[in-house]
Amino acid sequence: MGKSVAIIGTGQTRHGRRQDVCYPDLVKEAVEAALEDAGITLKDVDGVVLGTMPSMMEGVSSTHFYFAEAMGSVGKPVLKVETCGSTGQSIGHCGFFWASSGMADIVLVVGSEKMSEGDGQATMNTVFDPFFQRTFAAGAPGVFTMQSMEWMYRFKIPEDKGREAAAMISVSNHDNAMDNPHAHIRTRVTMDDVKNARIITYPVRLLDVCPASDGACAVIFASGDKAKKICKKPAWVKGIGFRGEEFFYGESDKAIWMSATEAAKEAYSQAGIKDPLKELDVAEVYNPFTYQEMIFYECFGFCPRGKAPDYVLKGTFKKGGRLPCGPSGGTLCTNPIGATGLIRMAEAALQVTGKAGARQVEGAKLALSHAMGGVDQFNGVTILGSEQ
Amino acid sequence: MKKEYRTIINDVALPYKWALGRTWTRFFDGLKEEKILGTKCLQCGKTFVPARSFCPDCFVSEMEWVEAAQEGTIVTWTLVDAEYDGQTRKPPYVIALVKLAGTDCCINHYVGGIDLSDLKKVRQKLKEGAKVKAVWSPDKKADIHDIAYFAPVR
């Protein structure tokens, strides 16, 4: 780790179908909220980082030009970082690097997406190479479902058990989203609703899948010294990890998933975490798909390999459980993709600073946030804590 | 009543001309002759399909051409039953990861030649490890669709 860095403010839009605002205004909504939360103005910001999904999502390229005013980057150094779904974690890491290097005191990091303006699955398909994989991909659901099937085969998880646990994950995320005023989908669902929803990519059904959302998130990073001066209760960056793997989907073992496993390991080693289930108070796992969320639990060491369904069915990761996951309702209920990984980080910051409102996990001091991107290719993890 | 604001409808369509390079040109020429070509790394001995110009594990370019088996096993699969823009096939259809015999990675393709009307029967047929073989398209264009799909082997 470099010099210590903390998050001193976060801001989120009301996520959902936001046809009431144009894209730059959506970005401004999050930036304004973050500045207000940190109690600073744009004048205090030394540099700006933006991240989104590929430009085809909204049909406007290199949006760091488009959002110059909305994200307050006029007259300041600006960077754009893109790693598909893991973008939110990557830009957060970039904010950390910048402040940690000593080259900036305060860095504004912005992630955004306006998915109602384009075609999510068609855009996601352009992430695949055009020669070999694109026509067999079926967007994100195809890949993530094949991965989940591979995982269930590998660990001999009975179909019914996997189905039951995945349904429970959907129900608890939907319940949690009711406590989150920013969440896109705020409806309760039952186990039967999930199990009987229409098939998207078998065995994954509609309520196992995240929505396509419009939304933006802004997070303000400050060098340790600055944070101590201007912020009463900062969220300290305790550890970060990021790993990538091979491009060809069929080349690496997605049931074990090296990138997710190693990204967490790296972050844990920096944060001094040895037993994540015991030491973490809350986790914001990137969970666009219920079945896949269980693979993450195993990669992050929350439970042994192949045992996630048992832990889920025991209620380990529910509100009030041993390690509550996704108290915000998670990616499953809100997914403006370029913002999503940063929302996980912002939510983790809210938790360790006691500012999470109705979704607060009481007394949370140490939180994991995470995002995954590409064709199951990238994973990024950030650990935030209440103590420096 | 909530005020609805206007949207403007537009398309962005861009033309591209993608270079295949030497290795992938030869791979697709092979498909046209009903051959599935891979490359074997002379350092680690792993065989990759589609053929690679360099070993993704060793980062060396010393690779030798091999003809891969046209039979393999299913590693994982899913039945796609949702539509999206730009899809080449009308759902429902099955996609899978197939590991060709003697290779060290999987390829993505369709699984065809099965009745999709009963999910239970599909599930019984398409277990992990189920044997499949390449079925060739009668019309070949030297692209990945020269293999029409993989079909279960009895």
Side-chain angles (χ1 to χ4, degrees), chain A residues 190-212:
Chain A
T190 66
M191 295 288 281
D192 281 342
D193 291 340
V194 184
K195 290 186 214 169
N196 297 321
R198 82 177 161 84
I199 292 174
I200 302 292
T201 41
Y202 177 81
V204 165
R205 292 169 186 269
L206 186 65
L207 292 173
D208 291 308
V209 183
C210 62

Side-chain angles (χ1 to χ4, degrees), chain A residues 92-325:
Chain A
H93 290 183
C94 192
F96 168 82
F97 297 144
W98 208 341
S100 180
S101 74
M103 298 294 286
D105 271 331
I106 295 184
V107 183
L108 168 66
V109 174
V110 184
S112 67
E113 213 67 64
K114 207 159 188 307
M115 296 187 67
S116 72
E117 299 193 348
D119 185 319
Q121 292 319 317
T123 300
M124 232 92 82
N125 246 20
T126 66
V127 174
F128 292 85
D129 72 83
F131 309 127
F132 303 106
Q133 303 187 89
R134 189 172 292 180
T135 52
F136 313 117
V143 172
F144 301 154
T145 304
M146 286 207 288
Q147 177 190 26
S148 303
M149 292 280 267
E150 188 179 356
W151 166 71
M152 288 193 285
Y153 282 135
R154 178 74 52 83
F155 297 107
K156 303 200 166 24
I157 296 164
E159 185 187 355
D160 291 349
K161 191 192 223 176
R163 176 63 281 174
E164 191 75 10
M168 200 181 241
I169 285 178
S170 177
V171 170
S172 76
N173 275 284
H174 281 88
D175 282 347
N176 290 349
M178 300 297 286
D179 292 335
N180 180 2
H182 300 287
H184 178 180
I185 305 292
R186 299 183 75 193
T187 348
R188 289 194 200 277
V189 299
T190 66
M191 295 288 281
D192 281 342
D193 291 340
V194 184
K195 290 186 214 169
N196 297 321
R198 82 177 161 84
I199 292 174
I200 302 292
T201 41
Y202 177 81
V204 165
R205 292 169 186 269
L206 186 65
L207 292 173
D208 291 308
V209 183
C210 62
S213 315
D214 301 345
C217 178
V219 172
I220 299 169
F221 290 79
S223 61
D225 292 343
K226 190 81 179 177
K228 274 190 263 186
K229 254 183 236 159
I230 65 170
C231 183
K232 271 193 202 132
K233 206 155 189 215
W236 294 94
V237 180
K238 306 297 287 180
I240 62 170
F242 195 96
R243 291 289 184 277
E245 48 197 83
E246 295 87 344
F247 174 67
F248 275 93
Y249 182 66
E251 211 168 287
S252 53
D253 186 340
K254 303 298 187 196
I256 298 293
W257 216 357
M258 174 276 280
S259 61
T261 307
E262 296 299 320
K265 241 187 220 168
E266 171 79 36
Y268 291 157
S269 107
Q270 289 169 12
I273 293 172
K274 293 196 173 61
D275 182 350
L277 183 65
K278 208 168 154 188
E279 294 171 62
L280 290 169
D281 298 307
V282 55
E284 278 285 343
V285 174
Y286 186 89
N287 58 343
F289 288 75
T290 54
Y291 284 89
Q292 196 188 38
E293 182 167 353
M294 292 189 266
I295 308 178
F296 286 127
Y297 292 162
E298 296 177 8
C299 294
F300 297 163
F302 296 174
C303 61
R305 298 277 181 189
K307 297 290 178 213
D310 299 290
Y311 278 64
V312 168
L313 293 168
K314 273 195 297 188
T316 309
F317 308 114
K318 277 171 75 170
K319 198 176 181 177
R322 182 144 188 214
L323 175 55
C325 288

Side-chain angles (χ1 to χ4, degrees), chain B residues 5-78:
Chain B
Y5 297 94
R6 285 199 303 123
T7 52
I8 288 180
I9 295 178
N10 207 333
D11 286 337
V12 179
L14 301 168
Y16 297 96
K17 197 158 76 187
W18 290 312
L20 283 167
R22 190 193 294 178
T23 307
W24 287 347
T25 296
R26 185 161 172 197
F27 173 80
F28 285 120
D29 286 348
L31 291 185
K32 217 172 169 181
E33 294 162 20
E34 301 199 353
K35 286 178 184 168
I36 304 174
L37 298 178
T39 46
K40 183 177 176 175
C41 172
L42 295 177
Q43 190 166 301
C44 70
K46 279 191 185 169
T47 299
F48 298 93
V49 172
R52 313 290 161 82
S53 58
F54 62 92
C55 176
D57 291 1
C58 309
F59 205 67
V60 297
S61 304
E62 286 72 35
M63 305 285 276
E64 91 185 344
W65 286 91
V66 291
E67 187 181 338
Q70 300 196 2
E71 284 196 15
T73 50
I74 287 181
V75 169
T76 183
W77 63 278
T78 182

